[in-house]
Amino acid sequence: MPYRATFNLTRAPFSAEIEPHSLFQSEAHTQCKARLDYLRRERGLAVITGEVGSGKSSVLRAFMRQLAPSSYLVLYGAVPAVPGPLRAVVEGWLEQLGEKLPFNNLARCLHLLHQTLEAIDEKGRQPFLVLDEAHLLDQRGLLQLKSLLNYDMDSRLPLALVLAGGPKLARALSLPPLEEIRQRLLFAYPLSGLKRTELEPYLAARLKQAGCERQLFPPEIVDEMYRHTQGIPRRVNQLANLCLVAAANQRLQQIDSSCLLQALEEMGLAEEVRRERSDFTAGAGAR
């Protein structure tokens, strides 16, 4: 990035490319990882929901990295935005397992996956399945996944399955037709963004990982950043990155309000700021 030389950075501090062990340990992420560890121990079905950019995939990647390959078989899938997407996911998992796919038959694919995962568990490796973008599944797709969890009452479930998706997933699961899915959930955790008190430490931590220990974002700027991002990490990263670009272009050593306004302009949010300022000025004039 063009600002790296200006701030003596070794890399772009707000890039999405960050090692899982370097993730900022917000309260929401810590709580989420604790629940994932509970799922690992107890097995079964769990759900994680959150706004786009809240860090669902990041916290899942970090957790999956901790699972020893000798003890766990991790299968990751993301629901594609295509008709009948569950078949593509299940076939992808079967291919990862080296299984021959039943031709164009989701029910047989699910049955084969069920048997394969059970056999893997019996050999001493617990399957841990992650299905991202699960809000793209319709009610039928969610109900079909239930077959992976159908075992005798006295049998120990051979797998853990976590569904991750946007708020649409939480709304879908609240509907009456999916009551039997809700009853099987170990937990449904809504992953929130950073708190305001976490935003300054978050920015400082990301900058430090890139070789900068100076305070580049004054508290009043951080207040505004939080107001416009609500602490959603992806939005914060985008806004912080654009602020650094603006500061470098102006040869500034710290982010100021002009940098923030320019960054908000590039994110399509500047009109909101101008309208708020106009309303405030009009209100002051009326008094």
Side-chain angles (χ1 to χ4, degrees):
M1 294 298 293
Y3 56 68
R4 284 174 58 173
T6 302
F7 301 108
N8 297 316
L9 298 168
T10 56
R11 62 175 182 81
F14 299 105
S15 166
E17 299 174 1
I18 183 170
E19 288 298 312
H21 67 267
S22 298
L23 287 174
F24 181 78
Q25 299 303 306
S26 69
E27 180 179 331
H29 278 202
T30 300
Q31 290 286 339
C32 188
K33 285 192 288 185
R35 285 165 172 78
L36 287 170
D37 196 51
Y38 171 61
L39 172 65
R40 174 192 63 80
R41 295 192 309 271
E42 298 299 321
R43 309 183 181 209
L45 176 65
V47 168
I48 297 172
T49 58
E51 297 289 344
V52 173
S54 58
K56 300 182 296 295
S57 297
S58 295
V59 73
L60 283 166
R61 282 199 306 270
F63 184 80
M64 288 187 290
R65 286 279 188 94
Q66 298 174 357
L67 300 177
S70 59
S71 301
Y72 295 91
L73 170 72
V74 177
L75 292 179
Y76 175 86
V79 180
V82 298
L86 183 59
R87 197 183 94 194
V89 172
V90 175
E91 288 181 349
W93 281 339
L94 286 172
E95 287 177 343
Q96 290 181 57
L97 294 169
E99 296 291 338
K100 185 176 180 180
L101 302 181
F103 179 71
N104 196 26
N105 192 313
L106 176 57
R108 289 179 61 192
C109 284
L110 282 165
H111 180 67
L112 177 58
L113 181 60
H114 184 288
Q115 290 181 317
T116 305
L117 295 176
E118 188 173 21
I120 289 170
D121 182 63
E122 288 175 354
K123 292 178 181 177
R125 290 181 75 199
Q126 178 190 328
F128 192 98
L129 280 62
V130 174
L131 186 54
D132 214 344
E133 306 295 334
H135 56 272
L136 294 176
L137 290 175
D138 58 15
Q139 288 185 4
R140 185 181 180 209
L142 290 167
L143 287 169
Q144 286 172 313
L145 273 177
K146 185 187 67 170
S147 66
L148 294 179
L149 303 166
N150 286 340
Y151 289 87
D152 294 335
M153 292 298 292
D154 58 348
S155 298
R156 177 172 168 79
L157 286 172
L159 61 90
L161 171 61
V162 56
L163 309 180
K168 181 181 174 183
L169 177 59
R171 292 194 293 271
L173 289 170
S174 70
L175 298 175
L178 295 179
E179 171 66 22
E180 56 186 306
I181 297 291
R182 287 199 304 278
Q183 290 181 4
R184 290 172 176 263
L185 291 176
L186 279 181
F187 63 82
Y189 182 68
L191 182 65
S192 59
L194 299 160
K195 295 181 177 180
R196 168 60 186 88
T197 54
E198 295 175 321
L199 191 49
E200 282 177 89
Y202 173 81
L203 295 169
R206 294 295 293 257
L207 287 167
K208 184 176 180 180
Q209 289 163 3
C212 178
E213 299 197 34
R214 291 193 296 113
Q215 184 188 51
L216 301 184
F217 296 87
E220 63 274 14
I221 296 296
V222 177
D223 285 337
E224 285 296 301
M225 291 177 70
Y226 183 79
R227 193 164 66 85
H228 289 287
T229 64
Q230 293 302 299
I232 300 298
R234 189 181 299 168
R235 296 180 199 164
V236 171
N237 290 343
Q238 183 183 14
L239 185 55
N241 183 67
L242 291 172
C243 282
L244 291 178
V245 172
N249 289 339
Q250 297 178 49
R251 295 183 171 83
L252 299 175
Q253 291 300 305
Q254 195 176 52
I255 308 303
D256 65 10
S257 58
S258 68
C259 300
L260 179 61
L261 185 60
Q262 182 177 328
L264 290 169
E265 181 98 43
E266 294 184 50
M267 291 179 67
L269 298 174
E271 187 59 37
E272 176 186 339
V273 177
R274 294 193 185 95
R275 184 169 59 251
E276 289 174 353
R277 289 179 178 178
S278 176
D279 291 345
F280 177 79
T281 302
R287 288 194 295 272

